[in-house]
Amino acid sequence: MKAQFIELSPPTEKTIHIKQVNQEFLSNPLHFHELCELVLVQESFGRRIVGNHVDSFSSGDLVLMGPNIPHIWRNDEIFLEPESKLRAKAIVIYFPSDFLIRLTDEQKTIQAMQNFINKAKQGIRFYGETKDKARKMIEDLPEKLSISRITGFLNLIELLHDSN
């Protein structure tokens, strides 16, 4: 299976974009794009491919991917059955890989963010207390506006960065 390049919009080079998914099943093809992507699965299950890693996913799955990494979340066949009442719900946050770096001139912070994004180029799955705290922060983000959305996102990235 060959990954398709998907040009995403409206995220520009200076913003984050939050997409709320609520559909019968996940239907994107295996794809990649130039933005970083943070995916919180709220309700769903199936198989996930990120780069060369294949794994199961279920509600609560939290994964960060760097730019240009092929990925797909594919629901189990039961989602495709005509009488299925199952739903696929997720919150997806897209942001440019240099979004955080452009906010500062401090070399220590720039280096830390570059290292974090480099780790995400293979995909990072979060667990435990970090995942629980991040889930609440992510679920609050779509309701925030303006500066509150940006500061909420920065607090989220700080939590994920500081995680083991």
Side-chain angles (χ1 to χ4, degrees):
M1 183 182 324
K2 185 173 180 173
Q4 299 175 17
F5 175 76
I6 295 180
E7 191 165 345
L8 294 174
S9 60
T12 66
E13 63 185 48
K14 295 185 180 182
T15 191
I16 61 171
H17 176 69
I18 301 171
K19 176 173 82 171
Q20 295 188 60
V21 176
N22 185 352
Q23 54 200 46
E24 292 177 355
F25 57 89
L26 300 171
S27 59
N28 283 338
L30 179 66
H31 67 282
F32 64 98
H33 43 74
E34 295 177 349
L35 297 173
C36 295
E37 182 175 338
L38 180 64
V39 178
L40 170 65
V41 176
Q42 296 174 295
E43 182 181 322
S44 192
F45 56 89
R47 301 292 282 171
R48 168 180 25 83
I49 300 172
V50 176
N52 61 4
H53 183 78
V54 179
D55 202 356
S56 296
F57 75 89
S58 60
S59 298
D61 193 52
L62 180 61
V63 175
L64 173 65
M65 295 161 291
N68 298 312
I69 184 170
H71 58 279
I72 186 173
W73 273 247
R74 178 73 70 196
N75 289 119
D76 285 351
E77 295 296 320
I78 193 169
F79 279 80
L80 304 176
E81 293 178 5
E83 287 87 38
S84 176
K85 302 269 190 261
L86 296 169
R87 300 292 295 173
K89 294 181 183 179
I91 299 175
V92 183
I93 304 172
Y94 301 98
F95 60 98
S97 60
D98 66 345
F99 177 82
L100 303 162
I101 294 165
R102 287 185 278 117
L103 297 176
T104 185
D105 290 327
E106 184 183 55
Q107 286 303 310
K108 187 175 179 180
T109 302
I110 290 171
Q111 186 64 46
M113 287 301 99
Q114 286 174 328
N115 290 341
F116 183 61
I117 296 301
N118 281 337
K119 285 182 188 174
K121 287 182 179 177
Q122 299 301 312
I124 303 172
R125 183 175 182 194
F126 296 92
Y127 298 92
E129 187 177 332
T130 297
K131 181 178 82 167
D132 295 340
K133 288 179 181 177
R135 180 181 190 142
K136 175 69 174 127
M137 295 169 84
I138 292 168
E139 289 175 343
D140 288 346
L141 272 181
E143 306 305 316
K144 294 181 182 280
L145 301 173
S146 187
I147 294 173
S148 292
R149 181 176 275 193
I150 293 169
T151 57
F153 174 73
L154 293 175
N155 289 332
L156 170 63
I157 292 299
E158 180 181 33
L159 171 70
L160 298 177
H161 172 267
D162 292 346
S163 170
N164 292 329

